């Protein structure tokens, strides 16, 4: 069975600085998809970034980027120029394949951005 | 208007009561999901449906049932609610035709069972 581990329950960063959230996963699949979701205090789940395992190039979305290390089964999220609005829970999620569809989530990292 | 809506947004009920949580979507997606979120545990899949005639159990389906009334509607029922079903419940949708099959979530329903 696939598992997703987020080893940092809580983190904090100063506004405008850079922070990296860690995620590791365990799978025997060769192709799969990885996601980072953000959950602000409003509790809405918002997709931040996504990565397909076959793609070696790391995904980027504005201030958000990932460091995908397939051999190490690591998928960390880097937030540059942190903003107060980035304060949220961040969840890493794994999907075995498009045909499977269901996501397996990590337990989350609570990020606080301080002014 | 929101693409994925859930009703009610908050609900307090008593042990033993039957309760239904409803999810509707206007995204035209064929796939729909129900997840449960508990503090410190992330989200866990309860049931999912790839089309109206396809219903599948997820990781934690015991004590729950679902109904896919139409492509746009997917309901979750607790036949006899118990306190450990107190949680935040999310509905999500996805499109098989999309490259990543990414899921889009509703606003959540906070359920409290007394």
């Amino acid at each position: 069975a696939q598992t997703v581990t987020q080893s940092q329950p809580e983190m904090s960063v100063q506004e405008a600085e850079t922070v990296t959230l860690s995620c590791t996963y365990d799978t025997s699949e060769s192709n799969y998809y990885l996601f980072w979701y953000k959950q602000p205090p409003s509790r809405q789940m918002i997709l931040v970034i996504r990565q397909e395992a076959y793609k070696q190039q790391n995904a980027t979305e504005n201030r958000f980027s990932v460091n995908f290390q397939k051999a190490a089964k690591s998928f960390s999220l880097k937030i540059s120029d942190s903003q107060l609005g980035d304060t949220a829970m961040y969840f890493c999620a794994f999907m075995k394949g498009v045909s499977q569809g269901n996501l397996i989530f990590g337990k989350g990292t609570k990020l606080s951005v301080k002014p | 208007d929101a693409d994925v809506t859930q009703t009610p947004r908050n609900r307090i009920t008593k042990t033993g009561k039957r309760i239904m949580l409803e999810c509707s979507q206007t995204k035209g997606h064929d796939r729909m999901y129900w997840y449960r979120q508990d503090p410190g545990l992330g989200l866990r899949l309860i049931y999912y449906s790839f089309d109206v005639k396809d219903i599948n159990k997820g990781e934690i389906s015991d004590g729950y049932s679902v109904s896919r009334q139409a492509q746009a509607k997917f309901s979750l029922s607790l036949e006899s609610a118990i306190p450990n079903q107190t949680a935040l419940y999310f509905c999500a949708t996805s499109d098989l035709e999309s490259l990543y099959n990414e899921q889009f979530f509703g606003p959540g329903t906070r359920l409290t069972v007394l």
Side-chain angles (χ1 to χ4, degrees):
Chain A
Q2 287 77 23
T3 58
V4 177
T5 302
Q6 294 179 248
S7 58
Q8 306 148 315
E10 293 191 37
M11 293 190 72
S12 64
V13 63
Q14 292 295 131
E15 195 175 7
E17 294 188 347
T18 295
V19 64
T20 299
L21 309 184
S22 300
C23 173
T24 59
Y25 56 93
D26 185 26
T27 185
S28 58
E29 302 294 325
S30 58
N31 194 32
Y32 46 87
Y33 299 81
L34 296 162
F35 305 85
W36 278 98
Y37 280 88
K38 169 185 177 180
Q39 186 179 42
S42 66
R43 80 190 191 197
Q44 179 72 47
M45 293 289 289
I46 302 166
L47 178 64
V48 174
I49 200 165
R50 58 202 181 186
Q51 174 86 37
E52 183 179 3
Y54 272 150
K55 293 188 176 181
Q56 296 191 1
Q57 185 174 7
N58 289 323
T60 61
E61 288 287 343
N62 301 312
R63 297 183 295 107
F64 298 87
S65 62
V66 298
N67 183 3
F68 174 50
Q69 302 288 329
K70 189 172 184 179
K73 297 180 181 177
S74 172
F75 183 60
S76 60
L77 174 70
K78 185 171 82 172
I79 305 174
S80 303
D81 186 26
S82 296
Q83 300 176 359
L84 297 178
D86 295 334
T87 292
M89 284 289 291
Y90 286 83
F91 292 96
C92 178
F94 171 99
M95 183 168 66
K96 190 161 65 172
V98 173
S99 63
Q100 300 296 317
N102 46 300
L103 290 166
I104 299 169
F105 285 86
K107 295 182 179 182
T109 296
K110 183 177 182 180
L111 177 68
S112 298
V113 180
K114 300 183 184 304
Chain B
D1 289 340
D3 295 320
V4 184
T5 57
Q6 292 183 234
T7 55
R9 294 294 309 278
N10 297 280
R11 179 73 182 268
I12 299 173
T13 192
K14 295 182 178 180
T15 297
K17 293 291 187 180
R18 184 179 187 274
I19 185 168
M20 179 181 288
L21 309 182
E22 298 185 337
C23 177
S24 295
Q25 53 117 346
T26 58
K27 299 182 77 67
H29 290 172
D30 43 4
R31 297 180 167 189
M32 299 186 74
Y33 311 80
W34 276 104
Y35 290 89
R36 166 179 172 162
Q37 183 180 16
D38 297 277
L41 291 181
L43 279 75
R44 292 178 292 165
L45 183 66
I46 306 172
Y47 271 95
Y48 60 104
S49 169
F50 285 175
D51 64 43
V52 174
K53 297 181 179 179
D54 177 78
I55 303 288
N56 304 280
K57 292 183 177 180
E59 178 187 353
I60 53 166
S61 60
D62 287 349
Y64 301 94
S65 63
V66 291
S67 173
R68 184 84 184 264
Q69 299 97 323
Q71 187 201 32
K73 296 184 182 295
F74 192 36
S75 299
L76 176 72
S77 294
L78 288 67
E79 297 301 326
S80 180
I82 56 177
N84 76 2
Q85 291 177 314
T86 293
L88 185 56
Y89 290 85
F90 284 101
C91 174
T93 73
S94 69
D95 181 7
L96 174 61
E97 299 302 320
S98 72
L99 178 62
Y100 290 87
N101 192 34
E102 60 265 37
Q103 295 184 16
F104 297 90
F105 286 79
T109 294
R110 184 167 297 284
L111 176 65
T112 303
V113 183
L114 301 176

